[in-house]
Amino acid sequence: MASIGKIARRTFLFGAAAIVGGAAFGAWYVAKPAPNPLKPADGETALNAFVVIDAEGITLVSPRAEMGQGTETTWAALIAEELDVTLDQVRIIHGPPAKAYYNHAMMGEAVAGYDASSFQRSMGELMGHVGKVMSLQVTGGSTAMKDGYERMRVVGAATREVLVAAAAERLGVSASELVTDKGTVIAPDGTTIPYTELAEAAAEIEPPRIELRQPEEWKILRSSYPRGDIPAKTTGTAEFAIDTRLPGQRFAALRLAPNRAGVKEFDGFEVSRMPGVEKVVDLGDGIAVIANNTWVAQNAVNQIPVTWQDKAPYLADDAAITQALEAGFALEPNVTGRDDGDVENLPSDATTIEAEYRVPFLSHATMEPQSANAWFDGGKLRVWTGSQMPTFALAVAADEAGLSEDDVEFNVTYLGGGFGRRGEVDFVRYATRIAKELPGTPVLLTYSREEDMTHDFYRPAAIARLSGAVKDGAAVMLDGRVSSAPVIEPALTRAAGFAPGGPDMTLTEGLGNQPYAIPNYRARGYAVPDMPPVGFWRSVGNSLNGFFMESFVDELAHAAGADPLQFRMDMTRDEFLPAWECLNAVKEMSGWTGTTPDGVGRGVAMCYSFGSPVAMVIEVRDEDGLVRLSNAWIAADPGVALNPDNIRAQLTGAMVYGLSAAMGEEITFDGGAVQQVNFPDYEPLRMNQMPQVEVRVLEVQEHLGGVGEIGTPPAAPALANALFDLRGERYRSLPLNKAVDFVI
């Protein structure tokens, strides 16, 4: 099997391998392609960055991080579908950080929405190329499939056509007489030529114009096919950053200032003499120990006497944070996510309601704590880590090492969870800083769970104040205001050293862009300064605004005397039919009647995020005063179900992530230090708390939407609304375990 290290260093042997296909074909030839990062040596051929054909078979260079969401396999399926190969004939590796692997879909998301016009979508296509200028190789925003959907199929089709052309030249027949199947070109007389024998000649052929196959012709896409990463993960042979082992491997652990204020003084002398300890490192804002194994390093670093600086560089306790969030509503709005009609002047006979909601900071709590393996020899640096932004992480590593980016080899491993946390670069910077202290020796840095949780970049806390009005059973006004920390500017500044100006749309996403026909509808976000460090968290602003919006829509329904599910269906049918279809699907699956027996509660929520609507119904039951989640029904419409089984898994997993946050997760601060340090303090959903889940994947909407994050936003409001149906009490603050005892 090919390895990215080999490809990066020697690329492909001429006569044994060729790269064909890529972003320069068809509709994607909008601008000059980015340079191919795979540099050939003498006698080697490298025509593009995505598909490798050599004597071993076919390798796909997949430039998106695999962190459990199945991206690798679906990218392979996109290629394989047009290339006429089976998935077991395709190997997958992660490309090196490079401009060529920019995410075209990420920038285009800025102008996309459920009601986007053709012109706006065209503008989004053009804006996508800005990602190339920024070297925006990013896995996030549920954009991987939107980015690869056409590009990778074009790659596969163009590759197939040059292979057919090469076969036609060899056989002396017209290309139109040839067909392809399972990695071979087949002539009318039955002669078959494997792709591997045609690669060298195909590399010299200019690809013709190609036509993508129609969905009804697909053999792989839209069917159920297994993920390629599962066998290795099941057998424990998959390699994550934390698993990497190199010759002479050493291990490191760190301890950072609890309030992120830095080190005043420390004494590492006694620890430096402990068996297995090789060096104590001053990080400036923390300390680290290099040792012969991780456990020695972590034990040693925790025994070093240290005095930390006193003052946190942000509001240091919950009371001050809450006061600032409350005062945030007096600021000028940072963003107005929607402003339809006139929310100030309403009919005198309309019924008005108001409500305030609150959510806490949240940690990413990835199963694999932050880790990176760095090998510095003075003139070169090699890094192995899981990264959602590898081009930015490489730049940070080069800067920390004092090297040019050309002197850094950056290897992206599997990620043991990401959720946005692996888009940060702190673990890469620290790993490089530590490796410089032991030149010529690889050093694997692993955060302890305690350091990982207390030095995260959190989902922001927020307060929302909503007002609304109903008349004749329908919503006639909704005015939402959210006070929270901005996310985009600090996160991009940490990762890339710069951030675009302008409003932070994460403050109102999930609140202002919902497909409800409400004539008077406004959403404003207020950016509160001096908050603890925040970052991108699974579904970002939708995670909190989904709770605010769908809890309040439920309150509007009850104020209108309407069934909560039908109330939503009435507002979506003419506004955005796919959302209505999702609601109708969960109505059918759950057998929703609008009434529940004593001891049972049901709640519904519908959220549009990342281009896809999702509806969810959650059922709860009272068990001797404790609450059990008994059933959940989910319906989503991503437009095209490229891998239905994987989509169902992603929707279920995202729901679990949202339920965990809703029920029992919270990050609090005292003296600038996070008070939760491990899973006993920050408890996710337990296996025995998991409801039975039924998922339906729809294909109603015209455009391809995202999948990986969309199941998270509706989880909290669906649960809170179910609890209202069960108990008649509105819970407007999370986590819910402060007011509700759940079955454990």
Side-chain angles (χ1 to χ4, degrees):
M1 176 169 294
S3 71
I4 191 59
K6 292 179 181 177
I7 288 177
R9 287 190 293 274
R10 63 172 180 79
T11 317
F12 314 113
L13 292 176
F14 185 81
I19 303 177
V20 289
F25 297 112
W28 293 96
Y29 203 4
V30 178
K32 183 179 179 181
N36 189 336
L38 307 176
K39 304 299 183 182
D42 292 342
E44 297 176 347
T45 302
L47 300 181
N48 194 267
F50 290 100
V51 179
V52 180
I53 300 178
D54 60 20
E56 296 180 8
I58 301 165
T59 298
L60 166 65
V61 180
S62 174
R64 299 292 170 263
E66 176 55 67
M67 47 190 165
Q69 82 280 39
T71 290
E72 277 193 350
T73 300
T74 310
W75 270 71
L78 291 167
I79 288 276
E81 187 66 70
E82 292 286 349
L83 188 54
D84 267 341
V85 295
T86 57
L87 280 174
D88 58 7
Q89 293 176 291
V90 177
R91 300 183 300 270
I92 313 168
I93 58 175
H94 191 291
K99 186 186 294 290
Y101 300 133
Y102 75 98
N103 187 328
H104 178 275
M106 181 67 73
M107 295 300 294
E109 286 295 288
V111 295
Y114 76 90
D115 56 351
S117 65
S118 297
F119 174 76
Q120 287 173 312
R121 292 187 184 278
S122 296
M123 289 299 297
E125 286 291 312
L126 291 175
M127 287 182 63
H129 293 283
V130 176
K132 179 169 57 180
V133 177
M134 299 171 62
S135 296
L136 197 66
Q137 185 181 350
V138 175
T139 306
S142 297
T143 58
M145 290 306 105
K146 286 184 279 188
D147 179 43
Y149 178 54
E150 288 191 14
R151 286 205 288 174
M152 292 301 102
R153 287 187 296 139
V154 168
V155 165
T159 302
R160 182 191 70 235
E161 291 305 311
V162 295
L163 291 164
V164 168
E169 289 184 4
R170 176 185 294 192
L171 297 171
V173 300
S174 169
S176 62
E177 298 180 57
L178 304 176
V179 296
T180 55
D181 184 51
K182 296 180 180 177
T184 63
V185 180
I186 307 171
D189 64 0
T191 300
T192 62
I193 308 176
Y195 287 173
T196 52
E197 294 182 12
L198 296 167
E200 179 183 354
E204 303 299 323
I205 297 174
E206 185 71 20
R209 292 180 62 85
I210 57 97
E211 184 175 334
L212 295 176
R213 293 170 176 171
Q214 296 301 306
E216 55 267 23
E217 301 176 90
W218 291 347
K219 301 174 183 177
I220 302 173
L221 299 174
R222 297 171 99 178
S223 69
S224 295
Y225 47 92
R227 276 175 40 181
D229 57 319
I230 295 301
K233 290 178 177 177
T234 303
T235 58
T237 56
E239 187 173 83
F240 299 82
I242 203 170
D243 300 318
T244 55
R245 297 294 184 271
L246 303 168
Q249 184 73 62
R250 294 296 182 268
F251 303 84
L254 53 66
R255 189 170 153 209
L256 302 172
N259 61 1
R260 308 198 194 208
V263 177
K264 185 178 291 184
E265 60 181 5
F266 72 94
D267 183 357
F269 179 72
E270 291 298 331
V271 163
S272 68
R273 300 196 298 175
M274 291 175 59
V277 171
E278 299 202 9
K279 191 163 189 177
V280 176
V281 180
D282 183 353
L283 297 175
D285 54 353
I287 52 179
V289 167
I290 303 172
N292 60 7
N293 67 59
T294 297
W295 307 115
V296 169
Q298 289 187 349
N299 179 57
V301 79
N302 287 330
Q303 293 190 40
I304 296 176
V306 58
T307 303
W308 306 108
Q309 298 287 349
D310 297 327
K311 187 174 175 57
Y314 46 80
L315 296 172
D317 58 63
D318 293 342
I321 291 167
T322 299
Q323 185 177 9
L325 291 173
E326 291 172 343
F329 292 104
L331 302 172
E332 287 295 315
N334 173 274
V335 58
T336 298
R338 189 165 184 160
D339 194 0
D340 296 347
D342 184 354
V343 300
E344 306 291 346
N345 297 301
L346 299 172
S348 58
D349 56 346
T351 300
T352 60
I353 63 171
E354 295 181 348
E356 181 178 280
Y357 304 89
R358 299 182 179 222
V359 296
F361 291 96
L362 294 173
S363 174
H364 296 84
T366 58
M367 287 305 295
E368 179 191 19
Q370 306 319 296
S371 53
N373 205 344
W375 194 345
F376 178 74
D377 66 7
K380 299 284 184 180
L381 172 70
R382 284 177 281 175
V383 177
W384 290 260
T385 192
S387 176
Q388 293 177 246
M389 293 187 178
T391 46
F392 295 160
L394 181 150
V396 165
D399 177 71
E400 182 67 36
L403 301 173
S404 73
E405 293 185 21
D406 291 339
D407 291 323
V408 178
E409 177 190 312
F410 199 94
N411 304 279
V412 179
T413 64
Y414 282 137
L415 285 64
F419 314 124
R421 179 63 176 94
R422 285 282 184 169
E424 299 289 342
V425 295
D426 54 309
F427 48 93
V428 173
R429 187 181 294 281
Y430 286 128
T432 303
R433 189 176 300 175
I434 293 167
K436 288 165 57 181
E437 298 294 319
L438 211 62
T441 301
V443 182
L444 172 61
L445 168 66
T446 303
Y447 285 34
S448 67
R449 176 62 63 191
E450 290 76 12
E451 288 295 325
D452 191 31
M453 188 164 288
T454 58
H455 292 86
D456 201 346
F457 299 91
Y458 303 97
R459 199 288 305 272
I463 299 175
R465 293 174 180 172
L466 287 87
S467 60
V470 294
K471 180 182 177 182
D472 300 328
V476 295
M477 186 272 283
L478 188 149
D479 187 15
R481 297 183 296 151
V482 178
S483 176
S484 187
V487 171
I488 295 175
E489 188 275 331
L492 288 185
T493 298
R494 288 192 300 267
F498 69 92
D504 190 320
M505 299 304 294
T506 67
L507 289 166
T508 57
E509 66 176 357
L511 179 65
N513 60 342
Q514 296 307 288
Y516 287 133
I518 303 175
N520 306 289
Y521 183 173
R522 182 171 66 181
R524 292 172 289 173
Y526 300 82
V528 181
D530 303 323
M531 289 286 111
V534 298
F536 298 114
W537 189 90
R538 193 172 193 173
S539 77
V540 202
N542 295 284
S543 68
L544 49 94
N545 286 319
F547 173 66
F548 302 152
M549 180 72 176
E550 284 301 292
S551 295
F552 192 67
V553 167
D554 221 63
E555 297 202 42
L556 285 173
H558 285 277
D563 173 78
L565 197 154
Q566 189 62 47
F567 186 73
R568 290 169 169 85
M569 294 179 72
D570 291 343
M571 289 194 295
T572 55
R573 178 135 198 185
D574 293 331
E575 185 73 11
F576 187 54
L577 186 60
W580 183 92
E581 293 283 6
C582 290
L583 287 162
N584 190 52
V586 294
K587 180 180 181 180
E588 291 178 357
M589 286 191 291
S590 66
W592 182 283
T593 63
T595 60
T596 50
D598 289 344
V600 177
R602 284 185 171 185
V604 63
M606 189 285 297
C607 298
Y608 175 88
S609 62
F610 306 102
S612 299
V614 181
M616 186 179 297
V617 170
I618 288 181
E619 180 183 88
V620 296
R621 294 177 180 269
D622 182 277
E623 294 188 359
D624 298 324
L626 303 178
V627 174
R628 178 181 296 281
L629 280 65
S630 53
N631 289 281
W633 297 270
I634 311 170
D637 184 0
V640 182
L642 296 173
N643 185 341
D645 280 353
N646 193 56
I647 292 173
R648 283 187 280 269
Q650 283 299 291
L651 291 169
T652 302
M655 180 196 71
V656 170
Y657 203 70
L659 289 176
S660 295
M663 293 168 62
E665 295 179 349
E666 178 182 31
I667 291 294
T668 59
F669 292 85
D670 184 19
V674 171
Q675 299 304 289
Q676 294 72 27
V677 299
N678 209 318
F679 286 117
D681 311 317
Y682 191 86
E683 189 170 344
L685 191 74
R686 297 187 179 209
M687 291 178 68
N688 68 327
Q689 294 176 310
M690 182 70 185
Q692 294 292 317
V693 182
E694 182 180 351
V695 180
R696 186 178 297 178
V697 182
L698 309 180
E699 295 180 295
V700 178
Q701 69 166 327
E702 180 181 353
H703 303 283
L704 187 71
V707 168
E709 300 167 81
I710 62 175
T712 296
L719 176 56
N721 294 337
L723 291 170
F724 174 76
D725 186 46
L726 177 69
R727 294 185 166 183
E729 296 180 55
R730 283 286 175 195
Y731 301 112
R732 300 187 178 99
S733 296
L734 300 181
L736 292 166
N737 65 357
K738 290 186 173 182
V740 178
D741 292 325
F742 293 98
V743 171
I744 298 177

